[in-house]
PDB file of all heavy atoms in Angstrom:
ATOM      1  N   GLU A   4      13.201  -2.996   4.249  1.00 85.00           N
ATOM      2  CA  GLU A   4      12.429  -2.695   5.444  1.00 85.00           C
ATOM      3  C   GLU A   4      11.264  -3.671   5.537  1.00 85.00           C
ATOM      4  O   GLU A   4      10.602  -3.948   4.546  1.00 85.00           O
ATOM      5  CB  GLU A   4      11.905  -1.260   5.324  1.00 85.00           C
ATOM      6  CG  GLU A   4      11.326  -0.700   6.565  1.00 85.00           C
ATOM      7  CD  GLU A   4      11.011   0.781   6.410  1.00 85.00           C
ATOM      8  OE1 GLU A   4      11.014   1.290   5.290  1.00 85.00           O
ATOM      9  OE2 GLU A   4      10.771   1.402   7.442  1.00 85.00           O
ATOM     10  N   ASP A   8       8.231  -2.771  10.456  1.00 91.00           N
ATOM     11  CA  ASP A   8       9.062  -1.602  10.755  1.00 91.00           C
ATOM     12  C   ASP A   8       8.695  -0.375   9.931  1.00 91.00           C
ATOM     13  O   ASP A   8       9.177   0.719  10.208  1.00 91.00           O
ATOM     14  CB  ASP A   8      10.536  -1.927  10.504  1.00 91.00           C
ATOM     15  CG  ASP A   8      11.045  -3.029  11.411  1.00 91.00           C
ATOM     16  OD1 ASP A   8      10.465  -3.219  12.496  1.00 91.00           O
ATOM     17  OD2 ASP A   8      12.012  -3.712  11.024  1.00 91.00           O
ATOM     18  N   VAL A  14      -3.356   8.520   7.526  1.00 96.00           N
ATOM     19  CA  VAL A  14      -4.435   8.174   6.603  1.00 96.00           C
ATOM     20  C   VAL A  14      -5.186   9.440   6.196  1.00 96.00           C
ATOM     21  O   VAL A  14      -5.535  10.261   7.054  1.00 96.00           O
ATOM     22  CB  VAL A  14      -5.403   7.163   7.264  1.00 96.00           C
ATOM     23  CG1 VAL A  14      -6.551   6.832   6.341  1.00 96.00           C
ATOM     24  CG2 VAL A  14      -4.639   5.907   7.650  1.00 96.00           C
ATOM     25  N   ALA A  15      -5.411   9.593   4.900  1.00 96.00           N
ATOM     26  CA  ALA A  15      -6.172  10.739   4.410  1.00 96.00           C
ATOM     27  C   ALA A  15      -7.648  10.522   4.730  1.00 96.00           C
ATOM     28  O   ALA A  15      -8.153   9.397   4.679  1.00 96.00           O
ATOM     29  CB  ALA A  15      -5.982  10.892   2.902  1.00 96.00           C
ATOM     30  N   SER A  16      -8.328  11.597   5.050  1.00 96.00           N
ATOM     31  CA  SER A  16      -9.752  11.487   5.359  1.00 96.00           C
ATOM     32  C   SER A  16     -10.541  11.257   4.074  1.00 96.00           C
ATOM     33  O   SER A  16     -10.061  11.528   2.965  1.00 96.00           O
ATOM     34  CB  SER A  16     -10.246  12.753   6.053  1.00 96.00           C
ATOM     35  OG  SER A  16     -10.252  13.834   5.144  1.00 96.00           O
ATOM     36  N   ASP A  22     -12.091  15.418  -2.258  1.00 97.00           N
ATOM     37  CA  ASP A  22     -11.672  16.712  -2.797  1.00 97.00           C
ATOM     38  C   ASP A  22     -10.564  16.555  -3.842  1.00 97.00           C
ATOM     39  O   ASP A  22     -10.498  17.322  -4.802  1.00 97.00           O
ATOM     40  CB  ASP A  22     -11.187  17.629  -1.671  1.00 97.00           C
ATOM     41  CG  ASP A  22     -12.311  18.052  -0.735  1.00 97.00           C
ATOM     42  OD1 ASP A  22     -13.501  17.895  -1.104  1.00 97.00           O
ATOM     43  OD2 ASP A  22     -11.995  18.519   0.379  1.00 97.00           O
ATOM     44  N   LYS A  24     -10.361  14.095  -5.765  1.00 97.00           N
ATOM     45  CA  LYS A  24     -10.983  13.321  -6.857  1.00 97.00           C
ATOM     46  C   LYS A  24     -10.230  12.024  -7.143  1.00 97.00           C
ATOM     47  O   LYS A  24     -10.021  11.636  -8.295  1.00 97.00           O
ATOM     48  CB  LYS A  24     -11.097  14.168  -8.120  1.00 97.00           C
ATOM     49  CG  LYS A  24     -11.967  15.389  -7.939  1.00 97.00           C
ATOM     50  CD  LYS A  24     -12.040  16.226  -9.181  1.00 97.00           C
ATOM     51  CE  LYS A  24     -12.892  17.460  -8.897  1.00 97.00           C
ATOM     52  NZ  LYS A  24     -12.856  18.407  -9.993  1.00 97.00           N
ATOM     53  N   PRO A  26      -9.913   8.185  -7.580  1.00 96.00           N
ATOM     54  CA  PRO A  26     -10.816   7.072  -7.877  1.00 96.00           C
ATOM     55  C   PRO A  26     -10.898   6.127  -6.680  1.00 96.00           C
ATOM     56  O   PRO A  26      -9.957   6.034  -5.877  1.00 96.00           O
ATOM     57  CB  PRO A  26     -10.143   6.379  -9.062  1.00 96.00           C
ATOM     58  CG  PRO A  26      -9.222   7.391  -9.640  1.00 96.00           C
ATOM     59  CD  PRO A  26      -8.799   8.267  -8.510  1.00 96.00           C
ATOM     60  N   ALA A  28     -10.575   3.033  -6.346  1.00 96.00           N
ATOM     61  CA  ALA A  28      -9.540   2.000  -6.308  1.00 96.00           C
ATOM     62  C   ALA A  28      -8.247   2.493  -5.648  1.00 96.00           C
ATOM     63  O   ALA A  28      -7.451   1.688  -5.174  1.00 96.00           O
ATOM     64  CB  ALA A  28      -9.234   1.513  -7.714  1.00 96.00           C
ATOM     65  N   TYR A  29      -8.039   3.799  -5.595  1.00 97.00           N
ATOM     66  CA  TYR A  29      -6.809   4.356  -5.034  1.00 97.00           C
ATOM     67  C   TYR A  29      -6.993   4.903  -3.623  1.00 97.00           C
ATOM     68  O   TYR A  29      -6.085   5.492  -3.066  1.00 97.00           O
ATOM     69  CB  TYR A  29      -6.265   5.461  -5.939  1.00 97.00           C
ATOM     70  CG  TYR A  29      -5.800   4.934  -7.264  1.00 97.00           C
ATOM     71  CD1 TYR A  29      -6.649   4.929  -8.367  1.00 97.00           C
ATOM     72  CD2 TYR A  29      -4.524   4.420  -7.418  1.00 97.00           C
ATOM     73  CE1 TYR A  29      -6.228   4.423  -9.584  1.00 97.00           C
ATOM     74  CE2 TYR A  29      -4.102   3.916  -8.634  1.00 97.00           C
ATOM     75  CZ  TYR A  29      -4.963   3.922  -9.716  1.00 97.00           C
ATOM     76  OH  TYR A  29      -4.544   3.418 -10.909  1.00 97.00           O
ATOM     77  N   CYS A  33      -2.313   4.533   1.415  1.00 97.00           N
ATOM     78  CA  CYS A  33      -1.290   5.351   0.765  1.00 97.00           C
ATOM     79  C   CYS A  33      -1.869   6.574   0.063  1.00 97.00           C
ATOM     80  O   CYS A  33      -1.131   7.315  -0.592  1.00 97.00           O
ATOM     81  CB  CYS A  33      -0.520   4.495  -0.231  1.00 97.00           C
ATOM     82  SG  CYS A  33       0.248   3.051   0.519  1.00 97.00           S
ATOM     83  N   LYS A  42      -0.830  16.263  -7.433  1.00 97.00           N
ATOM     84  CA  LYS A  42      -0.702  17.724  -7.559  1.00 97.00           C
ATOM     85  C   LYS A  42       0.606  18.079  -8.249  1.00 97.00           C
ATOM     86  O   LYS A  42       0.640  18.935  -9.141  1.00 97.00           O
ATOM     87  CB  LYS A  42      -0.761  18.380  -6.180  1.00 97.00           C
ATOM     88  CG  LYS A  42      -2.141  18.421  -5.592  1.00 97.00           C
ATOM     89  CD  LYS A  42      -2.127  19.089  -4.226  1.00 97.00           C
ATOM     90  CE  LYS A  42      -3.501  19.022  -3.584  1.00 97.00           C
ATOM     91  NZ  LYS A  42      -3.496  19.577  -2.212  1.00 97.00           N
ATOM     92  N   CYS A  43       1.674  17.411  -7.846  1.00 98.00           N
ATOM     93  CA  CYS A  43       2.973  17.650  -8.456  1.00 98.00           C
ATOM     94  C   CYS A  43       2.956  17.264  -9.936  1.00 98.00           C
ATOM     95  O   CYS A  43       3.473  17.994 -10.783  1.00 98.00           O
ATOM     96  CB  CYS A  43       4.051  16.862  -7.708  1.00 98.00           C
ATOM     97  SG  CYS A  43       5.722  17.098  -8.327  1.00 98.00           S
ATOM     98  N   TYR A  49       3.302  16.067 -15.878  1.00 95.00           N
ATOM     99  CA  TYR A  49       3.692  14.656 -15.901  1.00 95.00           C
ATOM    100  C   TYR A  49       5.106  14.413 -16.447  1.00 95.00           C
ATOM    101  O   TYR A  49       5.388  13.354 -17.001  1.00 95.00           O
ATOM    102  CB  TYR A  49       2.685  13.807 -16.682  1.00 95.00           C
ATOM    103  CG  TYR A  49       1.417  13.550 -15.913  1.00 95.00           C
ATOM    104  CD1 TYR A  49       0.411  14.515 -15.847  1.00 95.00           C
ATOM    105  CD2 TYR A  49       1.225  12.356 -15.243  1.00 95.00           C
ATOM    106  CE1 TYR A  49      -0.750  14.283 -15.125  1.00 95.00           C
ATOM    107  CE2 TYR A  49       0.071  12.119 -14.525  1.00 95.00           C
ATOM    108  CZ  TYR A  49      -0.907  13.084 -14.476  1.00 95.00           C
ATOM    109  OH  TYR A  49      -2.050  12.854 -13.758  1.00 95.00           O
ATOM    110  N   TRP A  52      10.965  13.243 -14.952  1.00 96.00           N
ATOM    111  CA  TRP A  52      12.071  13.547 -14.049  1.00 96.00           C
ATOM    112  C   TRP A  52      11.667  14.485 -12.913  1.00 96.00           C
ATOM    113  O   TRP A  52      12.477  14.846 -12.077  1.00 96.00           O
ATOM    114  CB  TRP A  52      13.250  14.141 -14.819  1.00 96.00           C
ATOM    115  CG  TRP A  52      12.905  15.367 -15.594  1.00 96.00           C
ATOM    116  CD1 TRP A  52      12.936  16.661 -15.143  1.00 96.00           C
ATOM    117  CD2 TRP A  52      12.482  15.430 -16.949  1.00 96.00           C
ATOM    118  NE1 TRP A  52      12.541  17.515 -16.130  1.00 96.00           N
ATOM    119  CE2 TRP A  52      12.255  16.791 -17.265  1.00 96.00           C
ATOM    120  CE3 TRP A  52      12.255  14.482 -17.938  1.00 96.00           C
ATOM    121  CZ2 TRP A  52      11.824  17.210 -18.515  1.00 96.00           C
ATOM    122  CZ3 TRP A  52      11.836  14.909 -19.171  1.00 96.00           C
ATOM    123  CH2 TRP A  52      11.621  16.248 -19.456  1.00 96.00           C
ATOM    124  N   ASP A  56      10.715  12.082  -5.796  1.00 97.00           N
ATOM    125  CA  ASP A  56      10.644  11.721  -4.381  1.00 97.00           C
ATOM    126  C   ASP A  56       9.223  11.342  -3.979  1.00 97.00           C
ATOM    127  O   ASP A  56       9.019  10.370  -3.252  1.00 97.00           O
ATOM    128  CB  ASP A  56      11.132  12.873  -3.504  1.00 97.00           C
ATOM    129  CG  ASP A  56      12.618  13.134  -3.691  1.00 97.00           C
ATOM    130  OD1 ASP A  56      13.342  12.210  -4.104  1.00 97.00           O
ATOM    131  OD2 ASP A  56      13.055  14.279  -3.422  1.00 97.00           O
ATOM    132  N   ARG A  58       6.858  10.194  -5.954  1.00 98.00           N
ATOM    133  CA  ARG A  58       6.519   8.923  -6.598  1.00 98.00           C
ATOM    134  C   ARG A  58       7.167   7.755  -5.872  1.00 98.00           C
ATOM    135  O   ARG A  58       6.536   6.712  -5.654  1.00 98.00           O
ATOM    136  CB  ARG A  58       6.928   8.928  -8.071  1.00 98.00           C
ATOM    137  CG  ARG A  58       6.379   7.721  -8.816  1.00 98.00           C
ATOM    138  CD  ARG A  58       6.748   7.705 -10.284  1.00 98.00           C
ATOM    139  NE  ARG A  58       8.137   7.325 -10.421  1.00 98.00           N
ATOM    140  CZ  ARG A  58       9.065   8.036 -11.064  1.00 98.00           C
ATOM    141  NH1 ARG A  58       8.755   9.170 -11.641  1.00 98.00           N
ATOM    142  NH2 ARG A  58      10.305   7.620 -11.140  1.00 98.00           N
ATOM    143  N   TYR A  61       5.288   7.057  -2.635  1.00 98.00           N
ATOM    144  CA  TYR A  61       3.993   6.425  -2.898  1.00 98.00           C
ATOM    145  C   TYR A  61       4.168   4.971  -3.319  1.00 98.00           C
ATOM    146  O   TYR A  61       3.472   4.085  -2.830  1.00 98.00           O
ATOM    147  CB  TYR A  61       3.224   7.201  -3.961  1.00 98.00           C
ATOM    148  CG  TYR A  61       1.949   6.531  -4.370  1.00 98.00           C
ATOM    149  CD1 TYR A  61       0.869   6.466  -3.502  1.00 98.00           C
ATOM    150  CD2 TYR A  61       1.813   5.920  -5.617  1.00 98.00           C
ATOM    151  CE1 TYR A  61      -0.307   5.829  -3.856  1.00 98.00           C
ATOM    152  CE2 TYR A  61       0.647   5.286  -5.980  1.00 98.00           C
ATOM    153  CZ  TYR A  61      -0.403   5.238  -5.099  1.00 98.00           C
ATOM    154  OH  TYR A  61      -1.567   4.593  -5.451  1.00 98.00           O
ATOM    155  N   GLU A  62       5.101   4.704  -4.223  1.00 97.00           N
ATOM    156  CA  GLU A  62       5.305   3.343  -4.697  1.00 97.00           C
ATOM    157  C   GLU A  62       5.811   2.424  -3.582  1.00 97.00           C
ATOM    158  O   GLU A  62       5.419   1.262  -3.511  1.00 97.00           O
ATOM    159  CB  GLU A  62       6.269   3.329  -5.884  1.00 97.00           C
ATOM    160  CG  GLU A  62       5.635   3.897  -7.142  1.00 97.00           C
ATOM    161  CD  GLU A  62       6.597   4.013  -8.310  1.00 97.00           C
ATOM    162  OE1 GLU A  62       7.815   3.817  -8.124  1.00 97.00           O
ATOM    163  OE2 GLU A  62       6.118   4.321  -9.412  1.00 97.00           O
ATOM    164  N   LYS A  63       6.647   2.954  -2.695  1.00 97.00           N
ATOM    165  CA  LYS A  63       7.114   2.143  -1.567  1.00 97.00           C
ATOM    166  C   LYS A  63       5.951   1.824  -0.642  1.00 97.00           C
ATOM    167  O   LYS A  63       5.824   0.686  -0.165  1.00 97.00           O
ATOM    168  CB  LYS A  63       8.207   2.872  -0.800  1.00 97.00           C
ATOM    169  CG  LYS A  63       8.727   2.050   0.354  1.00 97.00           C
ATOM    170  CD  LYS A  63       9.913   2.675   1.017  1.00 97.00           C
ATOM    171  CE  LYS A  63      10.402   1.732   2.109  1.00 97.00           C
ATOM    172  NZ  LYS A  63      11.632   2.190   2.705  1.00 97.00           N
ATOM    173  N   TYR A  66       3.918  -0.880  -2.193  1.00 97.00           N
ATOM    174  CA  TYR A  66       4.605  -2.162  -2.099  1.00 97.00           C
ATOM    175  C   TYR A  66       4.483  -2.733  -0.690  1.00 97.00           C
ATOM    176  O   TYR A  66       4.238  -3.929  -0.518  1.00 97.00           O
ATOM    177  CB  TYR A  66       6.076  -2.007  -2.491  1.00 97.00           C
ATOM    178  CG  TYR A  66       6.866  -3.274  -2.338  1.00 97.00           C
ATOM    179  CD1 TYR A  66       6.684  -4.326  -3.233  1.00 97.00           C
ATOM    180  CD2 TYR A  66       7.761  -3.448  -1.304  1.00 97.00           C
ATOM    181  CE1 TYR A  66       7.385  -5.510  -3.092  1.00 97.00           C
ATOM    182  CE2 TYR A  66       8.474  -4.629  -1.152  1.00 97.00           C
ATOM    183  CZ  TYR A  66       8.278  -5.657  -2.050  1.00 97.00           C
ATOM    184  OH  TYR A  66       8.965  -6.831  -1.903  1.00 97.00           O
ATOM    185  N   GLN A  70       2.862  -6.218   0.544  1.00 96.00           N
ATOM    186  CA  GLN A  70       3.555  -7.181   1.398  1.00 96.00           C
ATOM    187  C   GLN A  70       2.721  -7.516   2.634  1.00 96.00           C
ATOM    188  O   GLN A  70       2.686  -8.666   3.070  1.00 96.00           O
ATOM    189  CB  GLN A  70       4.921  -6.641   1.821  1.00 96.00           C
ATOM    190  CG  GLN A  70       5.938  -6.616   0.720  1.00 96.00           C
ATOM    191  CD  GLN A  70       6.265  -7.993   0.200  1.00 96.00           C
ATOM    192  OE1 GLN A  70       6.354  -8.959   0.954  1.00 96.00           O
ATOM    193  NE2 GLN A  70       6.428  -8.116  -1.100  1.00 96.00           N
ATOM    194  N   LYS A  78      -0.517 -16.144   6.832  1.00 97.00           N
ATOM    195  CA  LYS A  78      -0.942 -16.492   8.186  1.00 97.00           C
ATOM    196  C   LYS A  78      -2.311 -17.161   8.167  1.00 97.00           C
ATOM    197  O   LYS A  78      -2.553 -18.131   8.890  1.00 97.00           O
ATOM    198  CB  LYS A  78      -0.994 -15.242   9.065  1.00 97.00           C
ATOM    199  CG  LYS A  78       0.367 -14.713   9.437  1.00 97.00           C
ATOM    200  CD  LYS A  78       0.251 -13.455  10.272  1.00 97.00           C
ATOM    201  CE  LYS A  78       1.627 -12.860  10.538  1.00 97.00           C
ATOM    202  NZ  LYS A  78       1.536 -11.581  11.263  1.00 97.00           N
ATOM    203  N   ALA A  84      -4.586 -24.542   7.620  1.00 96.00           N
ATOM    204  CA  ALA A  84      -3.914 -25.845   7.530  1.00 96.00           C
ATOM    205  C   ALA A  84      -3.806 -26.491   8.911  1.00 96.00           C
ATOM    206  O   ALA A  84      -4.016 -27.704   9.052  1.00 96.00           O
ATOM    207  CB  ALA A  84      -2.527 -25.679   6.913  1.00 96.00           C
ATOM    208  N   ALA A  88      -5.521 -29.983  10.030  1.00 94.00           N
ATOM    209  CA  ALA A  88      -4.718 -31.077  10.593  1.00 94.00           C
ATOM    210  C   ALA A  88      -5.272 -31.496  11.950  1.00 94.00           C
ATOM    211  O   ALA A  88      -5.341 -32.696  12.256  1.00 94.00           O
ATOM    212  CB  ALA A  88      -3.272 -30.645  10.718  1.00 94.00           C
ATOM    213  N   GLU A  89      -5.681 -30.540  12.763  1.00 94.00           N
ATOM    214  CA  GLU A  89      -6.258 -30.863  14.074  1.00 94.00           C
ATOM    215  C   GLU A  89      -7.574 -31.613  13.907  1.00 94.00           C
ATOM    216  O   GLU A  89      -7.850 -32.564  14.645  1.00 94.00           O
ATOM    217  CB  GLU A  89      -6.456 -29.600  14.894  1.00 94.00           C
ATOM    218  CG  GLU A  89      -5.162 -28.980  15.374  1.00 94.00           C
ATOM    219  CD  GLU A  89      -5.355 -27.610  16.014  1.00 94.00           C
ATOM    220  OE1 GLU A  89      -6.516 -27.160  16.150  1.00 94.00           O
ATOM    221  OE2 GLU A  89      -4.337 -26.990  16.364  1.00 94.00           O
ATOM    222  N   ALA A  90      -8.384 -31.197  12.950  1.00 93.00           N
ATOM    223  CA  ALA A  90      -9.669 -31.874  12.708  1.00 93.00           C
ATOM    224  C   ALA A  90      -9.440 -33.284  12.211  1.00 93.00           C
ATOM    225  O   ALA A  90     -10.137 -34.225  12.612  1.00 93.00           O
ATOM    226  CB  ALA A  90     -10.485 -31.071  11.694  1.00 93.00           C
ATOM    227  N   ALA A  94     -10.511 -36.684  14.124  1.00 88.00           N
ATOM    228  CA  ALA A  94     -11.345 -37.675  13.443  1.00 88.00           C
ATOM    229  C   ALA A  94     -10.671 -39.047  13.494  1.00 88.00           C
ATOM    230  O   ALA A  94     -11.363 -40.081  13.658  1.00 88.00           O
ATOM    231  CB  ALA A  94     -11.591 -37.257  12.005  1.00 88.00           C
TER     232      ALA A  94
END
Side-chain angles (χ1 to χ4, degrees):
E4 192 172 13
D8 297 335
V14 178
S16 69
D22 292 344
K24 298 179 182 172
Y29 293 94
C33 302
K42 285 180 185 176
C43 182
Y49 284 80
W52 57 88
D56 293 336
R58 190 179 75 235
Y61 174 70
E62 288 175 351
K63 181 173 183 174
Y66 177 73
Q70 288 297 321
K78 287 178 185 176
E89 289 171 4

